[in-house]
Every structure is written in structure tokens, then in C-alpha cells.
Amino acid sequence: MGYGDFRECTMSAARLLLRLALLALPLAAARAETLVCAGVLGNSGEQGRDLARCAAAPARGLGVVCDRFGTLWDRAGSGVLARYAVDGRMLAQYRIPAENDRRDQLALVGDTLVLLINGRLHTLAITALPDSAATPMTIEATCLSPSAWHGTVAIATKQGLATWAVAEEAAPRPVAALAGIEAVEIGADGALYAMVEWQVHKFVAGAEISDGWPRAAPGERPQLLDGWWYGHAWNSTIKRCDADLAPQPGVVLGGASGSFIGHLDQSADLVNGRGLARLDRDLFAVSGFTGTLQLLAWNENARQFAVVRRIAALPRCPALGLDRAGDVWQWNGAWRWDDRPDAPLRDGVTPPEELGQAVMLDDDVMVAPGVMWGKPTLMHGRLDGEVAVERIEEHCTLRRNLVGSATYRDGDHLVLLTIDAAGAGHAFAIDPVGHFRGDLGAVELATATPVVAWTALAMAGADALLATGDGCVLEFARAGGGWHETRRWRSWGAGETEHFGAVIHISSDAHTLAVSDRDRHRVLCFATGGGSPRATFGRCDEAGADLATLSAPTTVAVRGERVVVFDAGNQRLVKLLSAP
């Protein structure tokens, strides 16, 4: 039994024991409610010191290497090089320059990592202590080969193609004056390759081969692994070619628009691969566009890859969708309720640049406003399949920096109300499945006293709007085409724990108001009209990383007995069950 199978079995057993324990509670306790942890999504390390973590500022993946210890290396956000176990645990982090470039690359030469970062080479021993910094070299380069041969890597400089003997740390050895090099590679026989204008040139013993070369590249960041060429494209596309760059069979993951008819596995986390590493005969790792690693299983009969594990944290989560079946949607894809912490995203879509709060409509349809490729966008659909991405070309004034969304009926319109962090409201007409039907203009949320920082919206009934700002829940009633404040509250008693911290987020269904209390590290469930909490999770004022605690929770979603919260300080989603 592999580690993943063992983890899945143990987690299933834990869930069964939890349910049995809840059923065994005495009847006298049935009037109370409790929130219990049902597991983690989006962080392959799950909890504690094994949690995967990445820097707050994103950065493209470097490519991935697997060292002689069987551990994996890739960039994890700006300024961070991460080391992972194959089972998804984060083992250590190291310091690298925060600057990044689209051609940044990672290679392994013996026990030395070679990194190309923003046009300069760096090295780091795989035996270096955690938090060590990579050593900058004096060598500038525009490209680095993902492979090495006899201690040597291929590089591109301003002068052309060259090689560099890593251990000697001497000056690079020029090979050919070639302009416009976009990628380089070195073969297992020492042959050198350079991609220029999507054509791969081949050099042997310093001389360019003209017989049948150059040949069409397999895609971006071409790489030779065990005699096969691999290349990458958008929509998580990976292509495989033979040693002569003939498609064998061509697309083996994803499917770039217009280049492939059919369906293969794809991953919204991958987007556009940065490089591959082979771990075993049929097991590979691939580096994602933003540093999310995926494990890929090769199926020789089908001649294609399947995504089997996500190795990463969840660094941001501005939107959460949750349906009655427990499907959880965030940012660019979904998980099922019983998925493992290292489960790959399902039904993924290209991530937008910005995304506001998600809202659940009838029939378990989700809608979330945002911005994609500079255009106002609505993401909508059921969560048991791929959601639609509707970019709106005109007659839509969707604001930037959205933080809150809510839906309600206003005459013949189903209204999607949005607010930005300053509290500026705007309404849009949508249909029951979330399609944009028109811009209804600005909507005023009139408050009794100013609110500095708004964070979320929710409905507490057909004519009752809730909002959060400055650590308070604000209640609104209709006032013509807008809303006016009728009440605000941040406490429910005089006790030290009976008030919110400075920043809270909310979600509501027909019966429950879920509040995430960022600064007090907890989630509380109330009746939609307020009062004392019916249930809580987390230790008040005590941040933690185990399965009983939270750290700076923010975005939250509630649906029936289920609650999901973005545990921002731990870069994971925590699933909670409300039970008597």
C-alpha cells in the first residue's frame, strides 16, 4: 500500500469513527451543536510541520527536479525555493532572489542545483541547511537547459549557445553564435539543442547538424527525458515526441484549443507547464505555471498522462462555492467533499486575474464576479462539472477589488449585488443559471456611521441584507432601489470571547450565518438573526496548524450542515461539519 492509499484509508477510518462518536452522544446533548473538522483540502501537507507553504507574492514555477533522496524541488512563490516529499509534505524552504522571469529554469547537476533567475545563474547544494540562500554566480544567461551531461549544462548568452561546467565554476564555453534563442537543452549523448522561432537546432561536437535539422519544437520549454521530447502549451497541454521530434503520440495531457480533438486529463493548477522530472518508470512530476507541482501517472496503453496528486499549498482564496452535495469550488476549480488534502483539482478553469465573493443560487448553481484578461467576467454553473467563464465585452461596469456578493429578487430581475472594499455597490441582472442579463447601475448601502473596510455580503432573507466591515455584522433593509442600515453588532455578551476581532467574513444559507473571525482564529455559526453562537470551531485567540485549530481564517461558505473556511494562515481549506 502506497502512502496516498494509507492516508486515504486512515482518513476514511477517522471520519467513520467521528460519525459513530457523534451518534453515540447522549440525548441530553442533542440540543447543542458543535463544529467538527472533517478534513483538509488544497494543502498536500494537511497539518502541522508538514504543511506546504508558499510566499505571498506569486511567481512562475522553475521546472522540477528529483534528487538522489527522492525529494522534489521547485519555486514556491517569489523568493522561495521549496523541497517536497513525493507524498506532498513540505520538507524545507530556501532563499532565492525575489525577481523572476519567464525563462527562469532549474536543473540538477550531481548534488548541485543550478538556477537561472532573472538572467543570472545561482547554485545551491541539495545538502544545504533549510533557509540557506542560493549562491549567485557571475554568469549571466538568457536560457538554461533542464538537463545536464557529465557535470555540464547548456546555456544561452547574449553571444549565443554555450556550455558551463558547474563544478569548475569557470567561464562558459562558447559553442555557436546564434541569435534569438528561446530555450536550450543537452542530450544524454552531449548533443546540444537550441530553439529559435519554434525550430530546434542541433549541435554535435560544436558543429550544427543540417541533415533534417532544424525541426519543429514540441512546444514551450522543450525537454529531453529518457529519449523522449516533451513540450508545453496553455490549457495544461503537454506534448510528447520521439528523439527526432516526431509526435509520439503528440498531446498526452490537457489539450490546447484547436490542436487536439478529444478529451484528456488537464489541470487548472498547471496552466502552462514549466518542466518535468521522471520519478519512476511510469511516474512523473510536472511544475505548474505558478509553482504548483503535480504528479502524473503514465498510461502506456492509452499513451497519455493522468494527474494523480497535487503537491502545493493554497495561497489565496477570495471565493468559495459550496453545494448541497459538499462539492467545494475555489478560484479555478473544485474538489469533492471527501477528497484528500493532496487531491488534484477537478473541473478546473483558467484562473481569473481577480475574483469576488461567490454566491450559491437555486439548484446548486454558483455565480462569482471577477476580471479575466481585463474584461468583466461572471463564473457560473453547477459545481459537479466545469463552471462557465462568461467574459462580458460591453455595457458592464464591474468594479475592481470586489469583496462582497449577494443575490435577491427586485421586481422581474434576479439581482447580483457586488461591493468593493470601500463599500461601493453595483447591481447586475442575471438569469437563474448566472448568465449576465444587464447592468442595473450603482446601489447605495446607506450606513448609520461610515465603514472603512468592507469584507463580505450575505442574504438573511428576501428583504434582509447582511454585510461585514470593521469587525461588525451590518443588517440592512430595502430603501427604494438601495439598502439602509437597521442594526450593526459585533458582540453577543460581555465576556472576553463574546465579540469579534477586527476583520470578519460571512456566508449564509436559509438557516445559518457562518462568521470567520480572522484575528481571533475561529469560525462561529449563528442563527441568521444573530444571538449567541450555536457552534464554534478553533481556539479563540490561539492560532494553530493542527486539525483542531485555525490561523487567520477568512473566506467562508455554509450550506446545510457543512461549512468550508479558507484557513489563510495555513494556506488550506478546512471542512467543518455541524452536528448535534
Side-chain angles (χ1 to χ4, degrees), residues 421-440:
H426 206 97
F428 307 90
I430 59 174
D431 69 13
V433 293
H435 289 286
F436 176 75
R437 289 294 177 259
D439 191 321
L440 300 178

Side-chain angles (χ1 to χ4, degrees), residues 266-460:
Q266 55 184 319
S267 168
D269 280 322
L270 183 56
V271 183
N272 186 310
R274 305 287 87 193
L276 287 158
R278 189 170 186 176
L279 315 184
D280 204 348
R281 191 182 77 170
D282 296 324
L283 186 65
F284 293 72
V286 60
S287 169
F289 194 66
T290 57
T292 299
L293 286 176
Q294 313 276 344
L295 293 193
L296 307 177
W298 175 253
N299 184 324
E300 182 58 35
N301 292 328
R303 302 183 79 194
Q304 64 186 53
F305 282 126
V307 183
V308 295
R309 174 170 290 161
R310 178 182 186 274
I311 300 180
L314 188 65
R316 55 179 176 166
C317 183
L320 277 173
L322 177 63
D323 66 16
R324 293 180 182 89
D327 298 321
V328 179
W329 186 90
Q330 59 77 44
W331 192 251
N332 62 337
W335 286 291
R336 304 294 178 256
W337 184 260
D338 289 328
D339 276 344
R340 308 181 313 268
D342 60 354
L345 273 175
R346 302 170 186 258
D347 308 313
V349 296
T350 301
E353 294 115 68
E354 294 186 24
L355 196 63
Q357 185 182 9
V359 179
M360 298 303 298
L361 308 178
D362 294 335
D363 198 28
D364 275 339
V365 171
M366 182 204 72
V367 59
V371 176
M372 177 174 282
W373 302 339
K375 298 287 186 180
T377 300
L378 294 182
M379 306 185 83
H380 52 74
R382 293 176 55 87
L383 305 186
D384 55 1
E386 185 175 304
V387 301
V389 180
E390 181 183 4
R391 288 183 295 278
I392 305 163
E393 297 296 329
E394 55 184 2
H395 308 306
C396 181
T397 55
L398 192 71
R399 294 175 178 271
R400 295 271 185 162
N401 196 23
L402 295 178
V403 297
S405 305
T407 55
Y408 54 88
R409 285 279 175 187
D410 188 1
D412 295 334
H413 295 301
L414 176 59
V415 176
L416 171 66
L417 173 65
T418 66
I419 61 167
D420 63 16
H426 206 97
F428 307 90
I430 59 174
D431 69 13
V433 293
H435 289 286
F436 176 75
R437 289 294 177 259
D439 191 321
L440 300 178
V443 173
E444 182 184 12
L445 276 67
T447 59
T449 57
V451 175
V452 175
W454 300 68
T455 54
L457 293 178
M459 297 301 297

Side-chain angles (χ1 to χ4, degrees), residues 70-95:
T71 59
L72 305 175
W73 300 74
D74 193 8
R75 182 157 51 190
S78 179
V80 175
L81 181 67
R83 187 178 197 174
Y84 302 95
V86 175
D87 60 32
R89 293 172 295 125
M90 176 166 275
L91 302 177
Q93 290 187 337
Y94 302 82
R95 289 178 285 122

Side-chain angles (χ1 to χ4, degrees), residues 5-305:
D5 296 327
F6 175 77
R7 171 182 279 188
E8 187 169 7
C9 289
T10 54
M11 290 184 66
S12 297
R15 285 193 292 268
L16 177 61
L17 290 173
L18 173 62
R19 292 181 184 274
L20 291 173
L22 292 172
L23 290 173
L25 288 174
L27 292 177
R31 295 174 185 168
E33 289 184 352
T34 185
L35 283 176
V36 294
C37 179
V40 167
L41 296 170
N43 193 302
S44 56
E46 187 179 40
Q47 63 172 318
R49 63 183 298 176
D50 295 336
L51 276 170
R53 298 184 184 274
C54 63
R60 289 184 174 98
L62 284 168
V64 55
V65 300
C66 181
D67 64 26
R68 63 184 173 89
F69 301 108
T71 59
L72 305 175
W73 300 74
D74 193 8
R75 182 157 51 190
S78 179
V80 175
L81 181 67
R83 187 178 197 174
Y84 302 95
V86 175
D87 60 32
R89 293 172 295 125
M90 176 166 275
L91 302 177
Q93 290 187 337
Y94 302 82
R95 289 178 285 122
I96 58 177
E99 299 82 10
N100 57 88
D101 181 81
R102 66 184 181 88
R103 295 183 189 171
D104 289 355
Q105 183 69 56
L106 176 64
L108 180 64
V109 182
D111 280 351
T112 300
L113 297 168
V114 180
L115 306 94
L116 174 64
I117 300 177
N118 198 35
R120 182 175 295 276
L121 294 180
H122 298 72
T123 61
L124 179 72
I126 64 171
T127 54
L129 294 175
D131 200 42
S132 298
T135 302
M137 301 287 103
T138 59
I139 301 168
E140 295 184 350
T142 57
C143 299
L144 167 68
S145 62
S147 305
W149 175 75
H150 290 187
T152 299
V153 291
I155 62 173
T157 68
K158 293 179 180 179
Q159 289 72 41
L161 181 64
T163 59
W164 182 50
V166 176
E168 297 174 10
E169 297 189 6
R173 183 177 69 86
V175 174
L178 190 63
I181 298 176
E182 286 287 324
V184 294
E185 181 58 306
I186 189 166
D189 57 358
L192 300 175
Y193 302 87
M195 184 180 76
V196 178
E197 295 183 347
W198 301 105
Q199 296 290 306
V200 177
H201 298 252
K202 182 177 181 179
F203 297 82
V204 175
E208 183 170 4
I209 304 300
S210 58
D211 184 13
W213 295 83
R215 296 175 178 172
E220 297 180 41
R221 302 173 77 89
Q223 178 179 5
L224 259 174
L225 273 178
D226 298 322
W228 298 99
W229 280 100
Y230 295 89
H232 303 269
W234 296 101
N235 299 322
S236 69
T237 299
I238 299 178
K239 297 180 182 180
R240 190 183 80 161
C241 298
D242 64 18
D244 294 322
L245 287 170
Q248 291 291 345
V251 175
V252 291
L253 186 79
S257 300
S259 69
F260 179 77
I261 299 174
H263 176 77
L264 297 178
D265 258 15
Q266 55 184 319
S267 168
D269 280 322
L270 183 56
V271 183
N272 186 310
R274 305 287 87 193
L276 287 158
R278 189 170 186 176
L279 315 184
D280 204 348
R281 191 182 77 170
D282 296 324
L283 186 65
F284 293 72
V286 60
S287 169
F289 194 66
T290 57
T292 299
L293 286 176
Q294 313 276 344
L295 293 193
L296 307 177
W298 175 253
N299 184 324
E300 182 58 35
N301 292 328
R303 302 183 79 194
Q304 64 186 53
F305 282 126

